[in-house]
Amino acid sequence: MSSTVPENQPEVAIVGERARVRGSFRSEGTLIVEGEFDGSIQCPRLVVLEGGKVDGFVEVRDAEIWGVIGGFARIFKMVCRRTARVVGCVMVQSAALEPGVTLEGAIVFEKPEGDGDEKEESREREPRFFKEESPSGN
């Protein structure tokens, strides 16, 4: 029996609550961590559920943290829920922290790159590996 997934359906990978994963993960979809992940993660969206733990190098566009994130992370937009615990250094462009978040490290806000032009300064910059190609193919 084969399953077909529509092309426009984003991929979702799940590290189950009893799983302990060590290594490198790279995807064009979402990673949901219920268990433990130790290593590097590069994907557009990361969700660390309550009880989940990520430790290592993380580079994602959007992250929603209910559990623990540690190590070094570069996140474009991060939301930390009340049960979240941030350990280590997280570089962000935008962050929201609910009351109750535990911070045992640093959250560093990156200024978007630009030459001082107001339009350039307000432009949001995504992590390096998310490079969108221009419609002309350049």
Side-chain angles (χ1 to χ4, degrees):
M1 176 187 247
S2 69
S3 170
T4 58
V5 178
E7 278 187 43
N8 60 354
Q9 178 86 16
E11 295 177 357
V12 175
I14 299 172
V15 175
E17 69 180 302
R18 294 184 184 166
R20 309 282 182 271
V21 176
R22 180 176 290 200
S24 180
F25 178 84
R26 185 175 180 138
S27 172
E28 295 300 320
T30 298
L31 175 61
I32 299 171
V33 179
E34 298 175 316
E36 293 183 18
F37 189 100
D38 185 9
S40 68
I41 296 171
Q42 289 184 326
C43 61
R45 181 159 167 71
L46 171 66
V47 179
V48 181
L49 297 178
E50 192 171 353
K53 181 179 180 182
V54 170
D55 191 26
F57 175 77
V58 174
E59 189 173 23
V60 297
R61 183 178 299 139
D62 297 304
E64 184 170 357
I65 312 299
W66 294 83
V68 178
I69 186 165
F72 178 81
R74 189 166 194 181
I75 300 170
F76 186 64
K77 180 181 171 188
M78 177 176 73
V79 176
C80 291
R81 302 299 182 183
R82 60 182 170 72
T83 55
R85 186 170 152 227
V86 178
V87 181
C89 181
V90 179
M91 296 176 69
V92 298
Q93 292 240 343
S94 171
L97 284 72
E98 290 183 347
V101 170
T102 303
L103 179 59
E104 299 174 16
I107 297 177
V108 178
F109 289 86
E110 287 186 285
K111 181 178 177 183
E113 290 178 355
D115 59 359
D117 180 27
E118 228 175 88
K119 288 181 182 176
E120 287 292 320
E121 285 187 25
S122 67
R123 188 187 72 218
E124 297 176 317
R125 184 171 49 97
E126 294 184 2
R128 286 186 203 140
F129 81 101
F130 292 111
K131 293 189 192 261
E132 294 184 23
E133 292 185 26
S134 64
S136 63
N138 291 338

